[in-house]
Amino acid sequence: IWGCISLKRATSETTRDAVELALNEEESGEGRRALEELRSRSMAEDWRGERMKNTADTLRKKERGDGEGGDGEGAAEGQSKMSKALDSIKVGGANGSGAGEGEEPTDANAAQRTAHELDLTSLTFPSGSHTMTNKKCHLPTSSWRAMHPGYEEVHVPASRSPMDPSEILIPVSELPKWTHDAFSGMKSLNRVQSKMADVSLKSSENLLLCAPTGAGKTNVAMLSILNVLGQYRKEGVDDEKDAMEEEEEVGGEEGKKSKHEGHFDLSAFKIIYVAPMKALVQEVVKNFSKRLGPYGVQVRELSGDSSLTRQQISETQMIVTTPEKWDIVTRQGEGRAYTQLVKLVIVDEIHLLHDDRGPVLESIVARVIRQVETTAEPVRLVGLSATLPNYADVATFLRVDPEKGMFFFDHTYRPVPLQMQYLGITERNAFRRFQLQNEICYEKAVGQRKSGNQMLIFTHSRAETGKTAKALRDLAMERDELSLFVREGGATQEILREEMSTVKNADLKEVLSYGFAIHHAGMARPDRELVEDLFADGHIGVLCCTATLAWGVNLPAHAVIIKGTQIYDPSKGRWAELSPLDVLQMLGRAGRPQYDTEGEGIIMTAHSELQYYLSLTNLQLPVESQMIKSLPDHLNAEVVLGTIQTIAEAVDWLSYTFLYVRMLKNPNLYGISDKAAKEDPTLKHRRTDLAHTAACMLERSHLIRYDRRSGALQTTPLGRIASQYYISHTSMALYSRHLRPNMADIDLLRLFSMSGEFTHITVREEEKLELSKLAMRVPIPVKESPSEPSAKINILLQAYISRLKLDGFALVSDMAFIQQSAARIMRAIFEISLRRGWSGLAKLTLAFANMVAYRVWRSQSPLRQFKNVPEIVARKLERKSDIEWARYADLTPSDLGELVGVPKMGRTLHKLVHQFPKLELSAHIQPITRSILRVELGLVPDFEYDVKVHGYVQLFHIIVEDVDGENILHHEMFLLKSTGAEDEHTVVFTVNIMDPLPPSYFIRVISDRWLHSEAVLPVSFNKMILPAKFYPPTELLDLQPLPISVLGEAALIKLYSFAEFNPIQTQTFHHLFKTDKNCLICAPSGSGKSACAEFAIMRMLVNDPQGKCVYVAPKEETSFNTYLDWSKRFGSILRPGQVAQLTGEVAPDLKLIAEAKIIVCTAKQWDGISRRWRQRKSVQSVTLFIVDDMHFLGGDAGPTMEIIISRMRFISAQKQQKGDATQQLRMIGLSASLANAREVGEWMGVSSKGLFNFSPKVRPIPLEIYFHSFDQSNFASRLMAMGKPVYNAVMRHSEGKPSIIFVPSRRQAQLTAIDLMTYYQSIEGETFLGKEAIPEEVAKIAGNLREPALQQVTTSGIGFLHDGMVE
């Protein structure tokens, strides 16, 4: 230690040498070792510097080398590019110039600056949606405060603004005639809607509307929806006709439904409405379905547990969804096929950006805006929000034009002005605090009842509603003020007593007759509806309820009390503050628009939170971005989608987020120093650091591959799974580290309980007892003690599957939270085990995913998966465990009835047993090579398909396992559609054959959604004969290339324009030109095989004056091109008509053959001519038979080729037998490289010397092949997912050089061309035209083209070509 410190402190060389000497001579030898270690360390750093310098030098040399050959400009340009790149890595130039340390890097260097990793956790807001960035809160002047024992009270009076006389409310009748149906029952729009009517209905500007709850934002959304409808209103539908129809309309509802039928092109657009809560989604669906019904518009919900089939989505014009669900749909390439039709996205409650769920909104909006920019197809964004101070930032984020599309209405626009009271409770003692809250509630309630008003009291748990109602009733009894709530002997009292008899809920029964009531989602529906009706009719004075009432049901009251602002949040595992969304929504219920001049809102909260709620409701709480918290996960989703493929693109993507808008506005809050913000006005460094950090975190979790040098980001299978199943990168890293192929259920559940999703769940003191009791009752043993959080998660999941009853309120919500993620996580682990080929774990996790979905254990009766099986019957079936499940199908209805002891159930059970998905399997195997096995699997559905039970599609996994059942050798999905439920289906796939050959494989077909539905088929190999090993390819010898003069004849030499033959032609020349033996040449395309055929023709022309050559190609195009080439070249040395192409007509063809020396035709044509060869002398006189493209023997044209080659061999053999040896038939085959060329050669009669089978690698120009695979199962969405990668491949591999792209269909050719054009223009802002091209000339040529799409893309340097085009 002394040595190290002294060396570090040494200022001069002499002291340094002295210390080194002392270390060297130290006796124990430790000193010398320390010194060597130090030297190697410092060397490494110097070496890095050296290496940087060397790289710089080599790059410079290379520049100069390239520059000499090229023109001066190119070199200079390269030089400047180069020096920028060098400056960026701080390497001085040869003359010592270069960016010094102190200099500020210029913008070009900024991009190349090395990125730093940041500590994201320190940058996130610890309090999430509760973040408060304003220091002070200014209240209106007429507010006042008062201190009471135990609490402080702040009053803020209601604010009103009289209407400006110039303001005009637009009557509905002034809107276009066809829109009136959407506003039936309304006379005119309100103030907010009138101001916005023009922009929202008549333009397609992006909008942001900030207005208080109840200001009629829904109708603004409606106007923007009508704007889209108006764009797709068919031409020629005139308004007069509408007016006439309106007068004739007497047919009631039916007439109304079809009123606008056929007036709109409903298949051309989709509208997405994003609402934050499920309850809200359902309300929007109900409201809009009714109002858009007359236009034939279908509105459907897409949220947590409801998903739509592709069919349903294509029939729906408006999808109402939650942010998370829409994120998942657009994340997966599957969804892209229909997201392209989206023309309008409405984001309701966009102040949700401030919440923990905000990042999801940021990512959706950023995705929409980037999609608009890359595809150039406009999508309108409409944001609706509560009033917030920094609405301008939200507008910037939504790309709203502040002049045209930004509207802000403050509290004065509330339909009923709201007087607010804030009570900050200072009481510390929990029991006294509870009493105090109830007393305050009571005081306020009495005050409201005295003036004859109703009030809502919002509490934050279901049990709390009952407790509060009872406490209020008790206080009223104590103080003898019950008559305030229900008048003695009045009608109300009678009604309440009458209704009490129907009530099921015990708490409600106790308090209802006193004029109090409770309402929460846990009550039976009749009870809830009764309470809603009684409250609406004014019979109930005080209603205690939970937040669901605020979201789902529109029941306004004069006054609203929010009793306490703490709510239990299972994702955090503790009591947390209510989200601002909920608070605003609850206050929105205060004040009844028809009756009240003002409403009252009362918030009770802890004194420390007073300022937060004052800021929130008085427009002083800025909305911040919570993106940093989940940045890596959202980045991963974009990488998987393919929209981000380099760090530069990630940096660009960050500039579309709300985070970026807020970082520019308030850099300090997001951890950026003033100096950094000043030096880097666009925050490019900061974004680079953020993107780099997120990429590093993802790379550590194995979700992406990150190449730091080029900045390329590439997704991995784990990354795809994480994005698809919405799983955090930390959890994925945990699974990939701890998963083992042979895990049992105990280990799997332990791993599950360690997931990152549940990190916040804790075990409370009061739960330990209940958890230990549950631990005794759950089936799978839990190793840890019940006080461990992981044990709690494990126990709760098992309790959920076992359907055990829980007591603790917090436990119930924890269980619900765990259960929501369980099926998703199990599915993800299932996908991981499939990717890793672990059969046992895959089957286990799939079973667990279904156990969670059905709440059935594997040991229970499979029939429990049907909805209508009584518990008693299922129990009885489980007791009869001696009868295997497979045997149930053979039992008759009476047997089954007897088995459970309920004869009546026999028929139902029999029906269910036969509805249980079951497949019969059969397989046909065929080894293609020694290592590949072709399997043809036959699947016959052996159950009664019922769409009500099974849906339209049943999904099955086909898994091929090795003999131990441990490894998955092949996996694919099989879809059984309801339409094909009766037929036999065949699936063909190939599997690798292991070496040494195992005795058998197992094919398993497992249902994706049903436990116990699997079929196994063993495939035995003991009779299978593997094909022989392939012979190695012919080696390409290193020969001196032959000059063309070897042909000897001057006329023949003239046929070639080049000087010497290539290696393949050189090696085959002797055999073709100097002998008459049969020959087969297999070489990659483009290696000059046609010249080899020409050698044989020349030999025939020189040696055999009577010779005839037939050239056969399987495809017409090939034979036509060969004919054009040969008639030009051989035509110059032969008489006219001696090079002929057959027409396919027999008589003229026979004439052509008789006269010609070289005949070119297709396999089909030659088959037609040579069938009657015995009568046709001209066919017999053929002496040279050349077959091109012989690799097509395995394709469609194969049978025809096989017949004609066999026939020609037969003719040749017949001639030899007759002793007609003068006309020996010679056969030449040309083909691409083949694996089994030897077998083909032997069949054609080629000796081993005449067989040339070159390896595919010996192309004259070497070829690199890259594979890029996609796992979208749907064809359309797979092609869409390929769009950006195709563009990237063109840019990476052949920028500035020509590229050819092959696509599956004509339509796709056009689409791909348009995609490439839009990508290039949006990303690079340029076109694909070459450097020498003159755009004006290209445009002129394009103008003469007939295809409109082709005209458009040609000017950008892209063309497309397919059969359907005009010649």
Side-chain angles (χ1 to χ4, degrees), residues 728-749:
S728 66
H729 63 283
T730 43
S731 291
M732 285 309 276
L734 176 88
Y735 303 146
S736 90
R737 225 181 10 257
H738 293 293
L739 280 176
R740 296 286 170 273
N742 43 6
M743 284 175 108
D745 22 24
I746 300 183
D747 313 317
L748 180 63
L749 283 176

Side-chain angles (χ1 to χ4, degrees), residues 632 635-640 644 647 691-707 712-720:
L635 175 67
N636 177 46
E638 299 296 325
V639 174
V640 170
I644 292 182
I647 277 290
H692 171 73
T693 309
C696 292
M697 291 167 81
L698 289 173
E699 189 188 34
R700 276 181 230 125
S701 312
H702 307 292
L703 298 193
I704 61 170
R705 293 191 198 88
Y706 174 27
D707 176 1
L713 301 172
Q714 209 182 357
T715 179
T716 63
L718 280 180
R720 285 203 193 96

Side-chain angles (χ1 to χ4, degrees), residues 714 1264-1270 1292-1293:
Q714 209 182 357
E1264 284 182 62
I1265 298 180
Y1266 298 88
F1267 288 96
H1268 191 152
S1269 58
F1270 293 83
R1292 185 180 311 145
H1293 299 300

Side-chain angles (χ1 to χ4, degrees), residues 803 856 860-878 885 888 900 905 908-913 915-916 1010:
R803 304 178 186 235
V856 174
Q860 291 176 300
S861 166
L863 291 179
R864 279 180 185 261
Q865 297 173 76
F866 291 103
K867 292 201 172 53
N868 48 2
V869 177
E871 183 67 22
I872 315 158
V873 175
R875 289 245 168 106
K876 285 192 170 162
L877 285 172
E878 279 148 16
W885 169 242
Y888 276 65
V900 294
M905 280 297 293
T908 317
L909 283 176
H910 186 262
K911 183 174 149 212
L912 294 182
V913 168
Q915 276 183 347
F916 194 82
W1010 293 78

Side-chain angles (χ1 to χ4, degrees), residues 1001-1223:
Y1001 280 170
F1002 290 98
I1003 300 178
R1004 265 178 212 276
V1005 180
I1006 309 177
S1007 166
D1008 184 57
R1009 296 269 169 219
W1010 293 78
L1011 276 170
H1012 295 282
S1013 161
E1014 73 172 90
V1016 185
L1017 180 72
V1019 179
S1020 165
F1021 293 157
N1022 50 13
K1023 296 253 179 18
M1024 187 169 75
I1025 302 167
L1026 290 180
K1029 279 208 167 104
F1030 295 135
Y1031 289 94
T1034 312
E1035 212 175 312
L1036 187 64
L1037 304 174
D1038 190 9
L1039 303 173
Q1040 182 71 31
L1042 289 174
I1044 52 173
S1045 55
V1046 292
L1047 295 170
E1049 302 277 335
L1052 298 180
I1053 295 173
K1054 274 193 197 139
L1055 297 179
Y1056 293 103
S1057 54
F1058 46 82
E1060 51 185 33
F1061 293 120
N1062 73 17
I1064 290 179
Q1065 294 159 349
T1066 302
Q1067 194 165 334
T1068 53
F1069 179 79
H1070 176 81
H1071 200 88
L1072 290 164
F1073 194 73
K1074 301 286 197 224
T1075 71
D1076 278 324
K1077 295 202 175 82
N1078 291 357
C1079 187
L1080 173 62
I1081 299 166
C1082 309
S1085 50
S1087 49
K1089 293 193 293 282
S1090 33
C1092 297
E1094 290 164 12
F1095 294 158
I1097 297 178
M1098 292 177 201
R1099 172 163 180 93
M1100 177 197 83
L1101 294 176
V1102 172
N1103 291 4
D1104 184 0
Q1106 299 302 312
K1108 250 189 215 328
C1109 160
V1110 173
Y1111 168 90
V1112 176
K1115 292 210 179 293
E1116 269 179 46
E1117 296 86 359
T1118 324
S1119 75
F1120 180 64
N1121 289 336
T1122 309
Y1123 169 68
L1124 290 180
D1125 177 36
W1126 283 356
S1127 59
K1128 198 159 99 210
R1129 284 169 53 222
F1130 285 121
S1132 65
I1133 54 172
L1134 295 171
R1135 290 200 310 280
Q1138 286 199 328
V1139 181
Q1141 186 185 18
L1142 298 191
T1143 59
E1145 304 281 330
V1146 178
D1149 279 354
L1150 284 171
K1151 256 197 198 128
L1152 286 172
I1153 295 175
E1155 288 169 15
K1157 269 201 177 308
I1158 301 174
I1159 297 121
V1160 179
C1161 61
T1162 64
K1164 274 212 182 90
Q1165 292 169 345
W1166 188 251
D1167 181 31
I1169 287 282
S1170 63
R1171 277 187 182 175
R1172 299 172 56 192
W1173 60 273
R1174 289 178 193 280
Q1175 289 93 330
R1176 297 181 174 157
K1177 278 280 184 281
S1178 50
V1179 175
Q1180 291 178 26
S1181 64
V1182 173
T1183 57
L1184 176 61
F1185 187 65
I1186 301 174
V1187 189
D1188 202 351
D1189 287 340
M1190 284 197 49
H1191 44 274
F1192 279 109
L1193 272 170
D1196 300 340
T1200 323
M1201 292 173 71
E1202 206 171 311
I1203 289 291
I1204 57 174
I1205 294 173
S1206 302
R1207 187 179 295 145
M1208 295 313 284
R1209 290 276 327 238
F1210 182 62
I1211 297 176
S1212 153
Q1214 290 286 325
K1215 280 161 119 181
Q1216 275 176 353
Q1217 278 176 11
K1218 285 185 186 163
D1220 187 2
T1222 52
Q1223 286 190 315

Side-chain angles (χ1 to χ4, degrees), residues 76-97:
E77 185 189 294
Q79 189 66 40
S80 69
K81 260 193 193 167
M82 214 49 242
S83 51
K84 273 185 193 169
L86 292 172
D87 292 347
S88 67
I89 49 174
K90 299 264 170 78
V91 175
N95 52 3
S97 73

Side-chain angles (χ1 to χ4, degrees), residues 661-815:
V661 178
R662 284 303 296 160
M663 283 199 305
L664 287 173
K665 271 277 166 66
N666 194 345
N668 297 11
L669 182 64
Y670 291 88
I672 306 167
S673 64
D674 289 335
K675 181 168 173 258
K678 208 164 165 188
E679 284 174 7
D680 182 19
T682 60
L683 295 185
K684 182 131 188 203
H685 295 346
R686 186 53 164 204
R687 283 180 292 149
T688 310
D689 291 347
L690 283 170
H692 171 73
T693 309
C696 292
M697 291 167 81
L698 289 173
E699 189 188 34
R700 276 181 230 125
S701 312
H702 307 292
L703 298 193
I704 61 170
R705 293 191 198 88
Y706 174 27
D707 176 1
R708 284 171 177 66
R709 203 181 64 237
S710 65
L713 301 172
Q714 209 182 357
T715 179
T716 63
L718 280 180
R720 285 203 193 96
I721 296 169
S723 161
Q724 184 181 353
Y725 291 100
Y726 230 77
I727 289 186
S728 66
H729 63 283
T730 43
S731 291
M732 285 309 276
L734 176 88
Y735 303 146
S736 90
R737 225 181 10 257
H738 293 293
L739 280 176
R740 296 286 170 273
N742 43 6
M743 284 175 108
D745 22 24
I746 300 183
D747 313 317
L748 180 63
L749 283 176
R750 283 184 66 191
L751 179 63
F752 169 81
S753 57
M754 287 155 61
S755 296
E757 271 63 355
F758 310 128
T759 42
H760 297 295
I761 289 187
T762 49
V763 181
R764 292 173 204 76
E765 251 339 288
E766 65 269 23
E767 297 169 349
K768 288 184 181 168
L769 181 65
E770 190 179 349
L771 284 173
S772 352
K773 281 186 195 157
L774 286 171
M776 311 300 280
R777 295 178 59 193
V778 295
I780 296 172
V782 179
K783 290 183 184 172
E784 298 86 356
S785 91
S787 54
E788 289 282 318
S790 64
K792 170 177 170 178
I793 295 158
N794 190 336
I795 293 169
L796 286 180
L797 178 66
Q798 295 192 51
Y800 174 76
I801 300 178
S802 310
R803 304 178 186 235
L804 301 179
K805 285 270 178 289
L806 306 180
D807 298 335
F809 158 68
L811 266 186
V812 175
S813 46
D814 277 337
M815 177 165 95

Side-chain angles (χ1 to χ4, degrees), residues 219-240:
N219 277 344
V220 175
M222 185 52 133
L223 287 165
S224 59
I225 290 170
L226 290 170
N227 163 269
V228 174
L229 273 169
Q231 294 172 29
Y232 292 96
R233 195 157 177 256
K234 294 187 180 157
E235 294 290 314
V237 177
D238 47 351
D239 286 344
E240 282 76 53

